[in-house]
């Protein structure tokens, strides 16, 4: 029986954490590993909500540490599935840090995680198709196939010449010329 498609909004998750002393490094900034843990948790929950299955992390893309998050800041992470493939799902996460006493809030990080839904034996299992509704969801959905092909090429699980969506970025299909 085919699974019913789900809207991207149905997988939306928001998680809030307070940066405590045990979460920080010697400069009183949030440790990168703690932030990655929180990002993995919130994105896994979003993937579970979409698939109604156990999920395992397959990859995390380019987590850059540009703006430090400090002791006492409130961290809000939002995640939702951007596209579903046969058994895998791409999930986008945004991280905001807020210093409540000073009234400052800023976007500190964003990343894409990939999860695979598995059965009780740990074998990949099909997930529902994703239906994007908003302009942002449609843009993330469209880019997901290119990001997936890039991940597969970098992992040497796809030959570069087979990455048709990636090639479409660099080559004009009509005349085969670099744009």
């Amino acid at each position: 029986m085919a699974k019913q498609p789900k809207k991207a909004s149905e997988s939306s998750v928001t998680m809030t954490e307070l940066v405590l002393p045990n979460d920080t490094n010697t400069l009183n900034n949030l440790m990168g590993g703690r932030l990655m843990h929180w990002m993995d948790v919130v994105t896994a929950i979003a993937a579970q909500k979409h698939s109604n299955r156990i999920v395992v992390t397959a990859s995390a893309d380019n987590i850059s540490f540009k703006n430090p998050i400090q002791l006492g800041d409130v961290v809000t992470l939002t995640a939702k599935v951007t596209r579903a493939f046969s058994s895998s799902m791409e999930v986008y996460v945004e991280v905001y840090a807020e210093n409540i006493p000073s009234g400052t809030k800023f976007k500190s990080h964003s990343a894409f995680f990939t999860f695979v839904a598995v059965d009780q034996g740990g074998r990949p299992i099909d997930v529902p198709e994703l239906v994007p509704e908003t302009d942002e969801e449609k843009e993330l959905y469209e880019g997901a196939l290119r990001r997936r092909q890039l991940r597969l090429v970098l992992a040497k699980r796809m030959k570069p010449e087979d990455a048709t969506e990636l090639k479409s970025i660099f080559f004009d299909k009509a005349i085969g010329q670099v744009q």
Side-chain angles (χ1 to χ4, degrees), residues 79-148:
K80 67 179 165 183
V81 175
T82 59
R83 190 158 181 171
F85 297 95
S86 55
S87 62
S88 67
M89 295 155 283
E90 181 189 79
V91 183
Y92 180 61
V93 59
E94 291 182 318
V95 179
Y96 291 87
E98 182 175 10
N99 181 298
I100 292 175
S102 72
T104 58
K105 184 176 182 177
F106 62 93
K107 182 176 176 180
S108 63
H109 300 80
S110 63
F112 292 96
F113 280 64
T114 302
F115 289 87
V116 175
V118 295
D119 64 16
Q120 294 296 335
R123 292 174 297 276
I125 191 164
D126 286 347
V127 299
E129 181 183 335
L130 183 114
V131 179
E133 295 179 294
T134 67
D135 289 342
E136 179 191 26
E137 289 169 357
K138 290 173 184 175
E139 184 178 329
L140 288 166
Y141 180 91
E142 290 301 319
L145 186 54
R146 290 187 296 276
R147 289 186 295 274
R148 180 175 191 259

Side-chain angles (χ1 to χ4, degrees), residues 4-5 23 45 51 72 83 106 113 120 150 153 171 173 178:
Q4 289 293 321
D23 301 322
I45 294 168
S51 65
R83 190 158 181 171
F106 62 93
F113 280 64
Q120 294 296 335
L150 180 59
V153 167
F171 295 97
K173 293 179 184 177
V178 175

Side-chain angles (χ1 to χ4, degrees), residues 149-160:
Q149 287 185 355
L150 180 59
R151 287 181 204 109
L152 292 172
V153 167
L154 292 173
K156 299 191 183 328
R157 294 180 53 214
M158 176 184 265
K159 294 178 183 175

Side-chain angles (χ1 to χ4, degrees), residues 1-7 10 49-52 84 126-131:
M1 182 168 111
K3 296 182 182 286
Q4 289 293 321
K6 286 188 167 181
K7 299 173 186 172
E10 293 179 76
K49 284 179 74 170
H50 180 77
S51 65
N52 291 336
D126 286 347
V127 299
E129 181 183 335
L130 183 114
V131 179

